């Protein structure tokens, strides 16, 4: 480890961090500091930069809660970020150096939620092997419903009927800059009524992020007779389109609004992307499945991709000694 050093991120590192993220093999715009810091008042940032001599070789978006560091709780995914040139020996060294730094910083445990493989621009599963070597414990596994847009897409009969309903009802799809209509008239009422929760992002937060990342955060609404009836907020990265929020009014099945909308997104707007990520369909940290929601996604032809969560004791950095023989 003599050639490696680790230090915490500070605001002066912003340009360096963002430049590294822009060329990484397993990063998206969620790791850009302008995105991470919209909720900086809620989290104690404990992001790390790892250097080999003077060269930045990895960054770790993270936050701290007492004696635990998380690969950032305010992000959908995280973990160690690398460029496409790094080899597994260096990944192991980076992991060891980071764990040692955390241990010396009185951090007992590091919790990681890894970025799903569909978001990688190159193969990038070295960190899973390094976690295995460090005796990390798999604590949770989420299941994403993902449509491979490079393959033939086969909808179920019920989805085809829904799309036909949308045509018969003369639904109108509009991409909009203003998210307030969807938030106030569709999303907030639905989440409050059905789940008694609020969306992860407030309207002001998502609007701010939309201003900063206008190419990555897009809003599509469905109108019936000039009234908004459904919509989706999508996060767009290099390979993947992710439906961050999906919601429709009580007439969505009668009108075919969501089927009509997602067919348009899949077959037209994002047909040149690699994957369409519908997200998870479960609750209770992956222990319960919303069967109806899962069925809707799978009837578009989506299949399952997992996202793993790990816990590793920082003292286990010693286990990474003398791995390479």
């Amino acid at each position: 480890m003599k050639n490696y050093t680790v230090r915490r991120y500070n605001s002066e590192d912003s340009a360096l961090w963002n430049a590294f993220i822009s060329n990484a093999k397993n990063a998206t715009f969620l790791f850009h500091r302008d995105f991470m810091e919209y909720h900086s008042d809620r989290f104690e940032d404990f992001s790390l930069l790892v250097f080999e001599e003077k060269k930045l070789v990895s960054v770790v978006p993270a936050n701290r809660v007492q004696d635990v560091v998380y690969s950032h709780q305010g992000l959908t995914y995280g973990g160690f970020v690398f460029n496409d040139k790094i080899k597994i020996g260096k990944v192991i060294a980076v992991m060891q150096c980071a764990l040692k730094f955390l241990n010396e910083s009185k951090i007992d445990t590091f919790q990681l939620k890894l970025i799903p493989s569909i978001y990688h621009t190159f193969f990038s599963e070295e960190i899973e092997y390094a976690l295995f070597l460090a005796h990390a414990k798999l604590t949770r596994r989420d299941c994403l419903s993902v449509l491979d847009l490079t393959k033939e897409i086969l909808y179920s009969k019920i989805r085809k009927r829904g799309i036909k309903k949308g045509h018969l009802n003369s639904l109108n799809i509009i991409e909009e800059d203003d998210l307030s209509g969807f938030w106030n008239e569709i999303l907030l009422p639905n989440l409050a009524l059905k789940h008694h929760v609020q969306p992860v992002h407030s309207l002001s937060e998502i609007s701010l992020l939309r201003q900063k990342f206008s190419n990555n955060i897009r809003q599509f609404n469905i109108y019936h007779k000039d009234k908004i009836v459904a919509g989706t907020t999508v996060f767009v990265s290099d390979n993947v389109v992710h439906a961050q929020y999906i919601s429709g009014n009580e007439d969505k099945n009668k009108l075919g609004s969501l089927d009509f909308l997602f067919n348009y997104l899949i077959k037209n707007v994002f047909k040149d992307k690699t994957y369409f990520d519908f997200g998870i369909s479960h609750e209770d940290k992956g222990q319960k499945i919303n069967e109806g929601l899962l069925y809707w996604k799978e009837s578009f032809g989506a299949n399952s991709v997992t996202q793993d969560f790990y816990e590793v004791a920082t003292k286990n950095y010693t286990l990474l000694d003398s791995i390479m023989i």
Side-chain angles (χ1 to χ4, degrees):
M1 291 194 298
K2 62 182 180 180
N3 294 329
Y4 292 87
T5 57
V6 181
R7 63 174 172 83
R8 288 182 61 182
Y9 170 87
N10 64 65
S11 58
E12 295 178 356
D13 297 318
S14 177
L16 176 65
W17 177 287
N18 290 335
F20 186 84
I21 289 298
S22 68
N23 292 300
K25 67 174 180 175
N26 59 337
T28 71
F29 73 98
L30 270 67
F31 297 159
H32 193 285
R33 294 310 305 193
D34 285 349
F35 189 99
M36 290 182 61
E37 290 168 9
Y38 84 87
H39 47 26
S40 58
D41 58 320
R42 288 183 242 162
F43 300 98
E44 179 189 350
D45 191 272
F46 211 89
S47 298
L48 305 179
L49 298 94
V50 185
F51 295 85
E52 183 182 16
E53 296 181 346
K54 294 183 178 182
K55 180 182 179 182
L56 183 62
V57 293
S58 181
V59 300
V60 187
N63 69 285
R64 176 178 183 169
V65 180
Q66 297 179 346
D67 61 354
V68 179
V69 162
Y70 297 84
S71 62
H72 208 290
Q73 291 174 294
L75 301 177
T76 308
Y77 38 72
F80 289 79
V81 179
F82 300 106
N83 65 32
D84 63 329
K85 302 295 190 237
I86 199 163
K87 306 301 182 186
I88 195 165
K90 287 188 177 182
V91 170
I92 294 169
V94 166
M95 165 76 86
Q96 182 177 38
C97 198
L99 290 178
K100 185 173 187 290
F101 175 83
L102 293 174
N103 187 258
E104 292 173 347
S105 301
K106 310 303 180 185
I107 302 298
D108 294 334
T109 306
F110 188 20
Q111 300 269 1
L112 294 94
K113 51 181 171 182
L114 303 186
I115 183 168
S117 60
I118 56 172
Y119 289 90
H120 300 168
T121 54
F122 291 86
F123 292 140
S124 186
E125 296 184 358
E126 300 91 349
I127 201 65
E128 283 91 327
Y129 182 65
L131 287 165
F132 161 73
L133 295 175
H135 292 187
K137 178 183 177 183
L138 179 67
T139 59
R140 173 176 167 181
R141 174 168 282 158
D142 282 358
C143 198
L144 317 177
S145 295
V146 178
L147 189 62
D148 186 341
L149 300 178
T150 69
K151 304 290 194 301
E152 182 182 6
I153 299 169
L154 299 174
Y155 295 159
S156 71
K157 291 181 180 178
I158 195 169
R159 293 287 72 78
K160 291 178 181 178
R161 287 199 297 269
I163 296 164
K164 185 177 180 180
K165 287 180 187 178
H167 285 288
L168 293 174
N169 286 302
S170 300
L171 298 183
N172 186 26
I173 301 172
I174 300 177
E175 181 174 5
E176 303 193 62
D177 293 330
D178 185 0
L179 289 79
S180 61
F182 176 63
W183 239 252
N184 293 330
E185 298 182 47
I186 302 293
L187 184 64
L188 288 171
N190 274 358
L191 289 179
L193 179 64
K194 297 178 181 179
H195 304 287
H196 309 290
V197 297
Q198 296 283 319
V200 173
H201 305 92
S202 69
L203 176 58
S204 60
E205 288 171 342
I206 196 69
S207 297
L208 175 63
L209 290 172
R210 170 76 177 83
Q211 291 175 11
K212 292 179 179 291
F213 300 96
S214 58
N215 293 327
N216 303 106
I217 301 175
R218 299 173 66 178
Q219 180 66 42
F220 296 88
N221 293 335
I222 285 274
Y223 288 85
H224 179 239
K225 297 180 180 179
D226 297 324
K227 178 183 178 182
I228 186 171
V229 294
T232 185
T233 310
V234 296
F235 283 9
V236 184
S237 55
D238 289 345
N239 297 329
V240 184
V241 181
H242 168 59
Q244 178 71 19
Y245 295 107
I246 306 169
S247 196
N249 69 6
E250 67 277 5
D251 292 328
K252 61 182 180 292
N253 293 329
K254 177 182 176 182
L255 296 172
S257 53
L258 289 177
D259 292 345
F260 186 72
L261 172 58
F262 276 83
N263 175 64
Y264 173 72
L265 298 180
I266 292 164
K267 294 289 186 69
N268 294 278
V269 182
F270 299 114
K271 60 184 176 63
D272 294 326
K273 290 293 183 180
T274 307
Y275 301 110
F276 197 103
D277 175 13
F278 286 94
I280 62 174
S281 302
H282 50 65
E283 303 166 4
D284 192 21
K285 296 182 178 181
Q287 299 298 313
K288 302 289 184 181
I289 295 176
N290 183 325
E291 188 174 4
L293 182 58
L294 178 63
Y295 173 76
W296 180 74
K297 296 172 181 179
E298 290 184 336
S299 61
F300 277 99
N303 291 294
S304 297
V305 172
T306 59
Q307 178 185 16
D308 288 345
F309 295 64
Y310 287 93
E311 174 182 290
V312 58
T314 60
K315 66 181 180 181
N316 288 2
Y317 74 87
T318 58
L319 299 177
L320 300 179
D321 287 332
S322 305
I323 295 296
M324 307 297 286
I325 58 175

